[in-house]
Amino acid sequence: AHVFEKMKGDTAIIVLRKKENTGKYKRHDHEIRIRSKKKPLWTRHPEHDVAVLPLGRKPEDVPCPSIASSLLSDTQKLKKSGITICESVFVLCYPERTEANSIGFPIARHATIASFPITPAKHYPSFMIDFNTFGGDSGGPVFIKRASGSPLIIGIATAQYRYDETVKMLNEERSVHHPLGLSKILHGQFIADTIAMLPLKES
């Protein structure tokens, strides 16, 4: 949600890609509306830092695939998966807006669940992963690989943990931020809950 809130103006750009017959991908920068007359078009969860936005008009001749809601985790799916502290997860992100290549694919990074317990989500809405977060990582999906081949999205990156130190000198005072190499992950349950709010808002 904070990503939308920090954006200025009424529009934003999302990057889409189309695979050509040669196997080469072509980049398509697609403009979407995020505000109308300064009013947000996204739906924000009432308690947590997550928001959803309908894309509206899709570009012609460019695939815009969606992710099946069955790939979003909830407490039951997490328990069934057996995932807990010290388990490996992966994050798709854009650290400091760094793209994997000129066609705008995200960067896949590896992390470890660093806090316990992680369920149930209603009691523990977020958890930590051992992952050095940068600006541009917010909203990155955190997922686990499964034997079925389909990933399970267990959350999204929303913030980093850091230690803030104030250094006082004779004629100067500075604040120094020390990253702790930990990222705050909001449960996938709240992504699904926010998506479910859309029809109520639009009706």
Side-chain angles (χ1 to χ4, degrees), residues 52-126:
V52 295
L53 174 73
L55 289 182
R57 181 184 60 84
K58 294 182 180 180
E60 297 181 2
D61 301 324
V62 181
C64 191
S66 59
I67 298 175
S69 58
S70 60
L71 299 183
L72 285 173
S73 69
D74 54 24
T75 294
Q76 290 184 339
K77 290 179 182 178
L78 276 182
K79 285 184 176 180
K80 186 176 180 181
S81 72
I83 191 167
T84 184
I85 190 171
C86 298
E87 300 277 359
S88 292
V89 297
F90 298 88
V91 188
L92 294 177
C93 55
Y94 296 90
E96 293 296 344
R97 300 183 179 183
T98 303
E99 299 175 345
N101 41 47
S102 60
I103 48 178
F105 275 106
I107 296 170
R109 300 175 65 195
H110 178 259
T112 303
I113 293 181
S115 63
F116 178 86
I118 64 172
T119 60
K122 65 179 180 179
H123 296 313
Y124 309 101
S126 65

